[in-house]
Amino acid sequence: MEPGVPFALLGAVQLLMVAACVGLAAAAALRRSAPGTLVALGALVLAAVEVRTALQLGVPASDGLALIRAAASLVLAAGLFTGGLGPRRLPTSLYGVVIPLAASGGPASFAAAGSLVAGAAAVWNRRDGVGLAVGAGFGLWGAASFVTPLADAGQGAPLTVLVLRGAGALAVLVGLALLAQASLLSKVVGAILAGVLAMAVAAVGVVGNVVVSSYDRQTREIVEQAAVGRTLAIDALGQEATNQATSLDAICNVKVPNTAVFCADYVQRFVPNVKDDFVVAVSRGGRIESFGGRLPLSRTELLGLRTLPVINEVLTGSGPQRKNNLYSLDRLAGSPPSVVVVGVGVSPEAVRVSGPQSPPRRVIVYGHRLNTDYTRSDVDTGGFGLTVLAGDPLQVVATNRSTNIAARILGIVRQHGLDRAIAEDGRTVGSQGINPTARFRPLLDYRGQQVGLLAVSRDPGPALKTERDALRLLFVTALLALLLVAVAAAVLGRRTVEPVRRLTAAAARVAAGDLTATTSVSSRDEVGTLSRTFDKMTVSLSRLTGDLRESAARLETVLASMPDGLLATDGDGVVTAVNPAALAMLGLEQADVLGEELAIVADVRDVDGRPLADPSLRLRDEPAEVHRPDGTTVPVRVEILPLEGVFGVVLVLRDTTRERDVERMKTEFLSNVSHELRTPLTPIRGYAEILVSKPGLAPASVTAFATTIRNEALKMNRVVDLLVDVAAFEAGRVSVSPRPMSVKDLLEARLEVWRGRAPHREADLKRRVAAGLPAVFVDPTWVGKALDEFVDNAVKYTPAGTPITFVGAWSPDGTRVRVSVKDAGPGIAEGDHSGLFTSFEQVDGSATRRIGGLGLGLSFVRRLAEDAGYPLSVTSRLGKGAEFSLDLPVSDLPAVRRTRK
């Protein structure tokens, strides 16, 4: 596999490319023309080239394949420009280099040019979604061709090439799918192949990745085990260095002290002669002595050796726990730096001579250099690479692999951030492309500080071979499956579509007016059932024609009875139909509307005064007003929609007068209720807070405050009772239970109630009942509530000291008994009488009115009077007071005497 190219993406792109090529060849071959033959030939050549490239793995570049693709693209472009797929049909070509991923600049530019020319032909020949999709695919392939000269450089370039070409293949397949919408056979075959292609791509990705992942996991485990062995080998090397240093210390510092010649001779004869190992004596003052000239260290490295913490600790005994024999991995400065395994030994004899508590004056240091000779001496049948890295920044110090592989290992370190400290157990990086699988373990000194990295790697050759073999096998298997399914889908598709074609021909005859047309399909499947049903349908069509005429007549009746206004126009904006509701809203006659332009007969304006009766507008439920010829307006909601299947529009007007009134009433209701509830709540809260905060108030004050709270609460209760009563009437939950009742008792009961409810007006409340009045047949509860509303108005609007009189007398026609409440207040102008009994309306409706109220009391009385059949009247003039009256029916039975409590 090429560098940076995921296995699943590689196989998926190749399958998509081959599928797109074969699909284009089939689409062009169906045209059976010379230009179509050019398109089919070019597509088949590209398909063959893509199959070849899918099987030619391990070659990073091929100019020959790029030139063949370029030539095939130009052949396709020629066929497209000459109508290879017919006029206004899908023109297309396919170009793409998948494997090998790279080509030199000349062939790559030639291929890019061919792809872009074919894309231009696609857009020029068909300027719709199909042509744009195919042209976009060509553009992506052209961009990929310009990147191909960089594809053999690894990293992101190969992945970019594959992504661009895969995206281009998908765009071409989308164009083929759009083209297939015009043919049932194409849709059937395309749907089957799309499903199989999706499964094949998934199989290549899943199975291929399973194979690669399994092999990669095994390689990781082998490399990790090898890294553990190499780490243990370095530890053994350190132990050996310590042992050698201890032995030399006993010879050179104790038994034969100060005999440098003897020590050098001993080192040369008995110490293993490993190249680049070194033996030195380091004194406490930093003086270094070599033995026999074996000192393969530079001056810079010698200076670093004097300061190694492991040597200083033995010489000075400064460690947390004194030790005479230590070894450590350390780094010596240089270019590049050196990594050494240093052993420091103090023999038991030296300890006895100097004393257990006294540090030695001189120690013997035995060191191994982890250099190229050391790594190359690593013999293993597994063929593992051994690389030592050190320095800041990290450099390759020693390796048994080539310079190229060493550079890749260093690149892995930098890519994955391993140049910083890593965990003691190390980290494994799997093979990516041609990069090896590597296990990195830190090289730690005796204090646990990292001085470098040890990389144990394994070449990616076996992994690449496994991946390539798997890709070839999977690709060939998937391609054969696609070809077999394509042939089977074409055969089965034709057998399925032929009966549908016959049905289509019969339907065309019926559309032309031949209601005797029948089909010749006799199969027992769903298509045969459809054919027989079609024959039955043609028989019933003639009968349905008459039914349609009757339906048209009924439709006219429905339009005439619609509450919404409707005007229909033709393509020139002339009114061709109008219903009575529209005429009523416009204030016109039918003869004044039909045949006239819509903008002339319908004066409909929005809230800004802009005319809306314009056939070019499209409106949905917009608020507006209809301006009639007499100067009045009607609030409406307007819609202007196009007529389906014909030229013209329909204007729909919905009268919103009642909705506007309801909205106004709701607003006034909320305003009045909030005012009526807030007014008594203010003194209730104020006096209640005084009673709570000042418990020592005088009894008289407490009584006064409590009385005020009670009275205000009664006012609130009256407001709530009125709302409940109004709601009960609106919901139809009120039941009237009339009974014989004395007029005197009826009025006396209300008089007693109001003397208790308004004690400050007790002297003003009067009763005057004519003699000889018969009993009335009423429900005293509801009539009493009506009288309460009359009295409430009189109390609010008349000043203290003016009389409020309950009156009982015969009605003017002498058939009923009239009960009234008469006051001597300011009176009501005659022009305001009509609005007295309307909900939420008051004579003074301003926001600064002096007297509050819900505006529901008198409307409640009106509703009660209408439901019970009691005539309601008002008599008033400005400055002359007002009298509100109810005419009650006379009872045939004697009244039940009222018992006083």
Side-chain angles (χ1 to χ4, degrees), residues 166-224:
L170 288 175
V172 172
L173 290 173
V174 169
L176 289 174
L178 294 175
L179 181 64
Q181 299 303 311
S183 170
L184 180 59
L185 177 60
S186 299
K187 287 195 288 187
V188 171
V189 175
I192 296 174
L193 291 179
V196 176
L197 178 62
M199 289 189 292
V201 169
V204 169
V206 174
V207 177
N209 278 333
V210 168
V211 173
V212 173
S213 299
S214 176
Y215 192 87
D216 182 64
R217 183 171 59 254
Q218 295 176 7
T219 304
R220 281 170 172 263
E221 293 174 354
I222 294 172
V223 171
E224 289 171 0

Side-chain angles (χ1 to χ4, degrees), residues 58-251:
V59 179
S62 174
D63 292 348
L65 292 177
L67 291 173
I68 294 174
R69 290 187 180 92
S73 296
L74 292 176
V75 171
L76 282 168
L80 294 173
F81 276 118
T82 55
L85 294 180
R88 303 293 295 169
R89 296 296 180 180
L90 174 66
T92 188
S93 70
L94 185 64
Y95 158 74
V97 178
V98 179
I99 309 167
L101 296 178
S104 58
S109 300
F110 186 31
S115 183
L116 294 177
V117 169
V123 178
W124 174 82
N125 194 263
R126 183 157 184 161
R127 299 176 183 86
D128 58 3
V130 175
L132 292 177
V134 176
F138 295 153
L140 290 170
W141 292 327
S145 297
F146 283 114
V147 182
T148 53
L150 306 175
D152 58 354
Q155 303 304 327
L159 183 61
T160 302
V161 172
L162 273 185
V163 170
L164 288 173
R165 290 170 182 163
L170 288 175
V172 172
L173 290 173
V174 169
L176 289 174
L178 294 175
L179 181 64
Q181 299 303 311
S183 170
L184 180 59
L185 177 60
S186 299
K187 287 195 288 187
V188 171
V189 175
I192 296 174
L193 291 179
V196 176
L197 178 62
M199 289 189 292
V201 169
V204 169
V206 174
V207 177
N209 278 333
V210 168
V211 173
V212 173
S213 299
S214 176
Y215 192 87
D216 182 64
R217 183 171 59 254
Q218 295 176 7
T219 304
R220 281 170 172 263
E221 293 174 354
I222 294 172
V223 171
E224 289 171 0
Q225 293 173 2
V228 171
R230 298 313 184 275
T231 304
L232 294 175
I234 293 176
D235 288 340
L237 195 63
Q239 292 288 351
E240 178 190 355
T242 302
N243 294 335
Q244 292 286 1
T246 303
S247 300
L248 289 172
D249 181 72
I251 298 298

Side-chain angles (χ1 to χ4, degrees), residues 530-592:
L530 176 62
S531 175
R532 291 186 289 273
T533 305
F534 180 87
D535 294 341
K536 295 178 181 179
M537 179 190 67
T538 57
V539 174
S540 61
L541 276 178
S542 57
R543 289 177 295 187
L544 289 176
T545 304
D547 295 340
L548 287 174
R549 293 192 182 97
E550 295 179 3
S551 297
R554 287 195 297 271
L555 180 59
E556 291 182 0
T557 304
V558 170
L559 291 176
S561 61
M562 282 178 57
D564 294 343
L566 184 145
L567 295 93
T569 72
D570 58 15
D572 297 327
V574 176
V575 178
T576 57
V578 62
N579 69 345
L583 294 174
M585 293 182 196
L586 297 174
L588 298 173
E589 298 293 333
Q590 186 174 18
D592 301 327

Side-chain angles (χ1 to χ4, degrees), residues 24 73 179 248-249 251 295 301 385 460 472 656 671 684 704 735 772:
L24 289 172
S73 296
L179 181 64
L248 289 172
D249 181 72
I251 298 298
L295 191 62
E301 291 173 332
R472 287 191 183 96
T656 59
S671 175
I684 289 174
S735 60

Side-chain angles (χ1 to χ4, degrees), residues 281 305 516 577 593 680 763:
L305 186 64
T516 62
V593 176

